[in-house]
Amino acid sequence: MYIQNFNVAPVTNARLVIHCDNFKSIARALTIVENDLNGAAQLLKNLHFDKNVPLVGITGPPGAGKSTLVNSLISELVNKGKKIAILAIDPTSPFNFGSLLGDRIRMAPHFNHPGVFIRSLATRGSLGGLSAKTIEMSDVLRAACFDYELIETVGVGQSEIEIAGLADITFVVLVPEGGDEIQSIKSGLMEIADAFIVNKADRDGADLFANNLKKMVQQKGEQIPVFKTIASQNDGVADITNFILSAPALKNNRKEFLLAEKAYKLIQQKRMAGVNKVKLQQAITEAITDPQFNLYSFIESFPHSGD
């Protein structure tokens, strides 16, 4: 059954196959899943994965040049005849729940390429950029016949670690000015990085920063490569592309962990489905006018239904 018919014909026990030569049908499937439209749950349960599509996560602090790096990686992979799907995640405003989705601009050169599919989405309040919707939408793309799927996360501190629950290969992008970030790497990023990328390597201190990073990796006995790139000039990106292409040869000893993390996020979403964040904020606005307001009493009495 083709996905373009899904919104008018219910899926039975047949498995759903999504074809990447029909980008409109893929976009429609993503919209159904992202917005929980009628039939979304059945669509997900009937997804069929023809092949193991490596999911590449790219994370790091804001301003590290992740979008520019992804743009260069797309060019390299496309030139090697690969079909690429990209999920570009932008943060959601906690005040108006809007999102800039600026990656649409930075990746504009690839929008009309027949081998590239780009979808921007908001974090929907997930600080690490990996809402349950991100997981579901990534699986929709994996069910299409792309060769690689790239996910660029928001990258805000320790919550960058969330990408480990989804990606098969995780790149942590840093910049030379981030010397203090070595401490945060010790606190968790080391465990989730398959490779570090020191971007904007033409800036002062880049060599020293990269060398310190390599020393720290060696001290921990890890076999984690450190790449230096100038993504805006496509310098060093070929080495990263070759690393991605060699992914089938890389050991993936955390499959159970990855699946457990995905399951946790999805279960969390189901359990929280009845909590409307906008209505919660409105209720708080009214409740705090009471001089006897108590947050814990408020939480206990707040309705958890979806009404």
Side-chain angles (χ1 to χ4, degrees), residues 184-212:
S184 67
I185 292 171
K186 290 180 180 179
S187 301
L189 290 183
M190 179 66 71
E191 284 76 11
I192 64 108
D194 293 299
F196 288 103
I197 300 173
V198 178
N199 193 29
K200 305 181 181 180
D202 53 340
R203 294 186 176 180
D204 291 341
D207 290 339
L208 178 61
F209 180 75
N211 288 335
N212 287 339

Short mmCIF file of all heavy atoms in Angstrom, two decimals, residues 184-212:
data_model
loop_
_atom_site.label_atom_id
_atom_site.label_comp_id
_atom_site.label_asym_id
_atom_site.label_seq_id
_atom_site.Cartn_x
_atom_site.Cartn_y
_atom_site.Cartn_z
N SER A 184 32.92 19.32 30.37
CA SER A 184 31.61 18.70 30.11
C SER A 184 31.78 17.40 29.34
O SER A 184 30.98 16.47 29.48
CB SER A 184 30.70 19.67 29.35
OG SER A 184 31.19 19.90 28.04
N ILE A 185 32.82 17.33 28.51
CA ILE A 185 33.07 16.10 27.77
C ILE A 185 33.39 14.98 28.76
O ILE A 185 32.91 13.86 28.64
CB ILE A 185 34.24 16.28 26.78
CG1 ILE A 185 33.82 17.24 25.66
CG2 ILE A 185 34.68 14.95 26.20
CD1 ILE A 185 34.97 17.66 24.77
N LYS A 186 34.18 15.28 29.79
CA LYS A 186 34.49 14.28 30.80
C LYS A 186 33.23 13.80 31.51
O LYS A 186 33.18 12.68 31.99
CB LYS A 186 35.47 14.87 31.84
CG LYS A 186 36.87 15.11 31.30
CD LYS A 186 37.75 15.69 32.39
CE LYS A 186 39.18 15.94 31.88
NZ LYS A 186 40.04 16.53 32.91
N SER A 187 32.22 14.66 31.56
CA SER A 187 31.02 14.35 32.31
C SER A 187 30.02 13.50 31.54
O SER A 187 29.02 13.10 32.10
CB SER A 187 30.33 15.66 32.73
OG SER A 187 31.19 16.44 33.51
N GLY A 188 30.25 13.28 30.25
CA GLY A 188 29.27 12.46 29.56
C GLY A 188 29.41 12.33 28.06
O GLY A 188 29.14 11.28 27.51
N LEU A 189 29.86 13.39 27.40
CA LEU A 189 29.92 13.34 25.94
C LEU A 189 30.90 12.30 25.44
O LEU A 189 30.72 11.75 24.36
CB LEU A 189 30.29 14.72 25.37
CG LEU A 189 29.22 15.80 25.50
CD1 LEU A 189 29.69 17.08 24.84
CD2 LEU A 189 27.92 15.36 24.90
N MET A 190 31.92 12.02 26.22
CA MET A 190 32.90 11.01 25.81
C MET A 190 32.23 9.66 25.58
O MET A 190 32.59 8.91 24.68
CB MET A 190 33.98 10.88 26.89
CG MET A 190 35.04 9.84 26.57
SD MET A 190 36.02 10.31 25.14
CE MET A 190 36.97 11.66 25.82
N GLU A 191 31.22 9.37 26.41
CA GLU A 191 30.56 8.07 26.32
C GLU A 191 29.69 7.92 25.08
O GLU A 191 29.41 6.81 24.65
CB GLU A 191 29.71 7.83 27.57
CG GLU A 191 30.50 7.45 28.82
CD GLU A 191 31.21 8.64 29.44
OE1 GLU A 191 30.94 9.79 29.04
OE2 GLU A 191 32.05 8.42 30.33
N ILE A 192 29.24 9.05 24.51
CA ILE A 192 28.30 8.93 23.39
C ILE A 192 28.94 9.27 22.05
O ILE A 192 28.35 9.02 21.00
CB ILE A 192 27.05 9.80 23.61
CG1 ILE A 192 27.41 11.30 23.66
CG2 ILE A 192 26.34 9.38 24.88
CD1 ILE A 192 27.01 12.09 22.50
N ALA A 193 30.15 9.83 22.05
CA ALA A 193 30.78 10.25 20.79
C ALA A 193 31.48 9.09 20.11
O ALA A 193 32.27 8.38 20.72
CB ALA A 193 31.77 11.38 21.04
N ASP A 194 31.15 8.88 18.84
CA ASP A 194 31.91 7.96 18.01
C ASP A 194 33.08 8.69 17.35
O ASP A 194 34.03 8.06 16.90
CB ASP A 194 31.02 7.33 16.94
CG ASP A 194 29.98 6.41 17.55
OD1 ASP A 194 30.38 5.42 18.20
OD2 ASP A 194 28.78 6.68 17.40
N ALA A 195 32.97 10.00 17.29
CA ALA A 195 34.04 10.85 16.76
C ALA A 195 33.79 12.28 17.19
O ALA A 195 32.64 12.70 17.34
CB ALA A 195 34.12 10.75 15.24
N PHE A 196 34.87 13.01 17.42
CA PHE A 196 34.79 14.44 17.70
C PHE A 196 35.19 15.21 16.45
O PHE A 196 36.07 14.79 15.69
CB PHE A 196 35.72 14.83 18.85
CG PHE A 196 35.26 14.36 20.20
CD1 PHE A 196 35.85 13.26 20.80
CD2 PHE A 196 34.23 15.00 20.86
CE1 PHE A 196 35.44 12.82 22.04
CE2 PHE A 196 33.80 14.56 22.10
CZ PHE A 196 34.41 13.47 22.70
N ILE A 197 34.54 16.34 16.25
CA ILE A 197 34.88 17.21 15.13
C ILE A 197 35.18 18.59 15.68
O ILE A 197 34.33 19.22 16.32
CB ILE A 197 33.72 17.32 14.11
CG1 ILE A 197 33.38 15.94 13.54
CG2 ILE A 197 34.07 18.29 13.00
CD1 ILE A 197 32.14 15.94 12.66
N VAL A 198 36.42 19.04 15.48
CA VAL A 198 36.78 20.41 15.84
C VAL A 198 36.57 21.25 14.59
O VAL A 198 37.40 21.25 13.67
CB VAL A 198 38.24 20.50 16.34
CG1 VAL A 198 38.60 21.96 16.67
CG2 VAL A 198 38.44 19.61 17.55
N ASN A 199 35.45 21.95 14.55
CA ASN A 199 35.11 22.77 13.38
C ASN A 199 35.71 24.17 13.53
O ASN A 199 36.16 24.55 14.60
CB ASN A 199 33.59 22.84 13.22
CG ASN A 199 33.19 23.39 11.87
OD1 ASN A 199 33.91 23.23 10.88
ND2 ASN A 199 32.05 24.04 11.81
N LYS A 200 35.70 24.91 12.44
CA LYS A 200 36.30 26.25 12.40
C LYS A 200 37.77 26.17 12.82
O LYS A 200 38.28 26.98 13.61
CB LYS A 200 35.52 27.21 13.30
CG LYS A 200 34.02 27.27 12.95
CD LYS A 200 33.24 28.22 13.82
CE LYS A 200 31.75 28.20 13.44
NZ LYS A 200 30.94 29.12 14.25
N ALA A 201 38.45 25.17 12.25
CA ALA A 201 39.82 24.86 12.63
C ALA A 201 40.83 25.90 12.14
O ALA A 201 42.02 25.75 12.40
CB ALA A 201 40.22 23.49 12.11
N ASP A 202 40.36 26.91 11.41
CA ASP A 202 41.26 27.98 10.99
C ASP A 202 41.38 29.06 12.06
O ASP A 202 42.14 30.03 11.89
CB ASP A 202 40.77 28.59 9.67
CG ASP A 202 39.31 29.03 9.71
OD1 ASP A 202 38.57 28.55 10.59
OD2 ASP A 202 38.91 29.85 8.87
N ARG A 203 40.68 28.92 13.14
CA ARG A 203 40.73 29.92 14.21
C ARG A 203 41.90 29.65 15.15
O ARG A 203 42.42 28.54 15.22
CB ARG A 203 39.42 29.92 15.00
CG ARG A 203 38.22 30.38 14.19
CD ARG A 203 36.99 30.49 15.05
NE ARG A 203 35.85 31.01 14.30
CZ ARG A 203 34.65 31.21 14.82
NH1 ARG A 203 34.42 30.93 16.10
NH2 ARG A 203 33.68 31.67 14.07
N ASP A 204 42.29 30.69 15.87
CA ASP A 204 43.40 30.57 16.82
C ASP A 204 43.08 29.51 17.88
O ASP A 204 41.96 29.44 18.39
CB ASP A 204 43.65 31.92 17.51
CG ASP A 204 44.22 32.96 16.55
OD1 ASP A 204 44.74 32.56 15.49
OD2 ASP A 204 44.11 34.17 16.85
N GLY A 205 44.08 28.72 18.19
CA GLY A 205 43.96 27.73 19.25
C GLY A 205 43.36 26.41 18.80
O GLY A 205 43.18 25.51 19.63
N ALA A 206 43.07 26.28 17.51
CA ALA A 206 42.41 25.06 17.03
C ALA A 206 43.31 23.84 17.20
O ALA A 206 42.86 22.78 17.66
CB ALA A 206 42.01 25.22 15.57
N ASP A 207 44.58 23.96 16.84
CA ASP A 207 45.50 22.82 16.96
C ASP A 207 45.67 22.39 18.41
O ASP A 207 45.67 21.20 18.72
CB ASP A 207 46.86 23.18 16.35
CG ASP A 207 46.81 23.30 14.84
OD1 ASP A 207 45.86 22.73 14.24
OD2 ASP A 207 47.69 23.96 14.26
N LEU A 208 45.82 23.38 19.30
CA LEU A 208 46.00 23.07 20.72
C LEU A 208 44.76 22.38 21.28
O LEU A 208 44.85 21.39 22.01
CB LEU A 208 46.29 24.35 21.50
CG LEU A 208 46.44 24.20 23.02
CD1 LEU A 208 47.61 23.27 23.35
CD2 LEU A 208 46.63 25.57 23.68
N PHE A 209 43.59 22.90 20.91
CA PHE A 209 42.34 22.32 21.40
C PHE A 209 42.18 20.88 20.91
O PHE A 209 41.83 19.98 21.67
CB PHE A 209 41.16 23.17 20.93
CG PHE A 209 39.82 22.67 21.38
CD1 PHE A 209 39.42 22.84 22.69
CD2 PHE A 209 38.96 22.04 20.50
CE1 PHE A 209 38.18 22.38 23.13
CE2 PHE A 209 37.72 21.57 20.92
CZ PHE A 209 37.34 21.74 22.24
N ALA A 210 42.47 20.66 19.62
CA ALA A 210 42.34 19.32 19.05
C ALA A 210 43.33 18.36 19.70
O ALA A 210 42.99 17.19 19.99
CB ALA A 210 42.56 19.37 17.54
N ASN A 211 44.56 18.82 19.95
CA ASN A 211 45.57 17.97 20.59
C ASN A 211 45.17 17.60 22.01
O ASN A 211 45.37 16.46 22.46
CB ASN A 211 46.93 18.67 20.58
CG ASN A 211 47.55 18.71 19.19
OD1 ASN A 211 47.24 17.87 18.35
ND2 ASN A 211 48.41 19.68 18.95
N ASN A 212 44.62 18.58 22.75
CA ASN A 212 44.16 18.29 24.12
C ASN A 212 43.03 17.27 24.10
O ASN A 212 42.95 16.39 24.97
CB ASN A 212 43.69 19.58 24.80
CG ASN A 212 44.85 20.49 25.17
OD1 ASN A 212 45.98 20.03 25.29
ND2 ASN A 212 44.56 21.77 25.35
#
